[in-house]
Amino acid sequence: MTETSQTTATDETRWSIAIHGGAGSMTPETMDASAVALHEAALSAALAAGEAVLAAGGSAIDAVTAAVVALEDDPLFNAGRGAVFTYHGTNELDAAVMDGASRGAGAVAGVTHTKNPVKLARKVMEAGPHVFLSGAGAEEFAREQGVEQCDEDWFATEERWRQLQELKARKLGWFDDGLKYGTVGAVARDAAGHVAAATSTGGLTGKRWNRIGDSPVIGAGTYADDRAGAVSCTGSGEQFIRAGVAHEICARIRLAGKSAQGAAEAVLAEVGAMGGVGGVIVATPSGDTAMAFTTPGMFRARSDSSGKRSVGIFRQD
Ligand code: ASP
């Protein structure tokens, strides 16, 4: 099942932004009121960080970076502080950014000491000759570029540690693919009409073998093209990589004339046919945003310069 909501741009729409804090199995029955309030406040604060950039006439790429930094710093979400643990009890972080104006992109995978992986992805895009760096080399680049490093304890939280122990005790399989996603992302359209996307994650609880999901893979979890839109994904990364979800949504908008909403739903249906679930957020050059997800819930928020603003978690929100 895919239920969605959509914002329609009006002539006076000058900017728009949407964020997610991960798709997952949360329902009103499984989340208590205080957890709902905490998550809604965190989403609202991250949205505000992006809105402040756009309202001041800033760029979409600056707005999505600011929103994702806020989500990375919040231990509630599986990115930066509060990232999930690998099988061996470490945190390996992945992030990507893409600017629709230039189709410039930067991505990092498996970083362990970079406080805000999205800032490092941004540096890769702007200061390096490459698009995608990983592991120790990515952090060598980070140090050379003066991107803030931290002790690995910064990322660790008791709740994520508990989730790893639960996974091991229950022998749930290779990794936790049981609908506990918490990746973060943002997409935006700025007053100049440019779009951008950013995504950041700790990946999946219990991941091994330096597994990398879709989030930092340009075209899979993150993509932006001024001719189509900006997309950030969350969900079962293996299927999202195989479907090339973010680029596929942009391709359908650009080449097949699909709406962002229609393209998002159709591509998620294909992910479903492969056995994957998750969600996407899209911002288009015309100022629309679209959101779609096939999980029971997705942490999400969006707003635009016409004054529309919403925060949601469950399907019915
Ligand atoms: N897509 C992410 C991954 O596979 C997980 C998530 O969305 O939380 O690494």
Side-chain angles (χ1 to χ4, degrees):
M1 186 174 70
T2 303
E3 289 179 22
T4 56
S5 56
Q6 187 169 14
T7 298
T8 305
T10 56
D11 285 340
E12 71 272 15
T13 296
R14 299 283 298 152
W15 54 260
S16 58
I17 181 166
I19 64 171
H20 70 77
S25 54
M26 53 280 187
T27 64
E29 292 72 42
T30 57
M31 243 183 120
D32 64 36
S34 63
V36 168
L38 269 179
H39 283 81
E40 286 180 347
L43 289 164
S44 183
L47 189 68
E51 287 168 331
V53 173
L54 294 165
S59 65
I61 190 76
D62 281 345
V64 296
T65 305
V68 168
V69 165
L71 292 164
E72 284 180 339
D73 286 345
D74 194 314
L76 288 175
F77 302 101
N78 172 21
R81 189 154 180 238
V84 298
F85 283 97
T86 66
Y87 191 82
H88 297 296
T90 59
N91 301 111
E92 294 177 2
L93 310 166
D94 306 332
V97 296
M98 187 157 180
D99 183 356
S102 60
R103 273 179 285 153
V108 293
V111 297
T112 54
H113 292 87
T114 296
K115 185 163 179 256
N116 291 105
V118 73
K119 290 187 183 171
L120 179 54
R122 184 84 188 264
K123 269 286 182 216
V124 171
M125 180 176 94
E126 287 171 351
H130 305 302
V131 166
F132 201 175
L133 303 181
S134 69
E139 287 184 321
E140 184 186 341
F141 178 77
R143 288 189 298 275
E144 281 172 21
Q145 294 293 328
V147 177
E148 187 178 357
Q149 301 291 287
C150 63
D151 194 273
E152 55 211 1
D153 289 349
W154 166 254
F155 303 115
T157 64
E158 277 178 23
E159 174 57 15
R160 297 301 186 195
W161 185 253
R162 190 196 63 71
Q163 289 173 3
L164 176 64
Q165 304 318 313
E166 183 188 57
L167 174 122
K168 287 186 167 178
R170 291 217 248 134
K171 300 196 176 23
L172 289 177
W174 295 116
F175 52 76
D176 179 12
D177 58 355
L179 301 184
K180 283 201 214 94
Y181 304 113
T183 290
V184 308
V187 294
R189 183 262 198 204
D190 61 30
H194 300 304
V195 298
T199 311
S200 183
T201 190
L204 298 178
T205 301
K207 66 183 181 180
R208 299 192 217 187
W209 310 306
N210 300 120
R211 178 264 186 193
I212 300 167
D214 60 309
S215 309
V217 177
I218 299 300
T222 307
Y223 201 72
D225 179 347
D226 271 5
R227 300 171 300 174
V231 182
S232 174
C233 303
T234 168
S236 29
E238 279 65 23
Q239 286 86 354
F240 275 67
I241 292 174
R242 289 162 55 203
V245 169
H247 185 273
E248 181 68 19
I249 290 171
C250 288
R252 290 181 192 207
I253 295 170
R254 180 165 63 91
L255 301 171
K258 300 292 182 197
S259 69
Q261 192 70 44
E265 291 177 7
V267 177
L268 281 180
E270 291 189 8
V271 168
M274 292 177 176
V277 293
V280 301
I281 54 175
V282 188
T284 68
S286 62
D288 286 324
T289 56
M291 296 175 157
F293 52 99
T294 56
T295 42
M298 182 168 80
F299 296 113
R300 61 197 189 276
R302 62 176 152 188
S303 63
D304 64 38
S305 54
S306 74
K308 286 194 201 122
R309 194 174 204 274
S310 63
V311 178
I313 299 175
F314 309 117
R315 184 161 294 288
Q316 60 270 29
D317 289 343

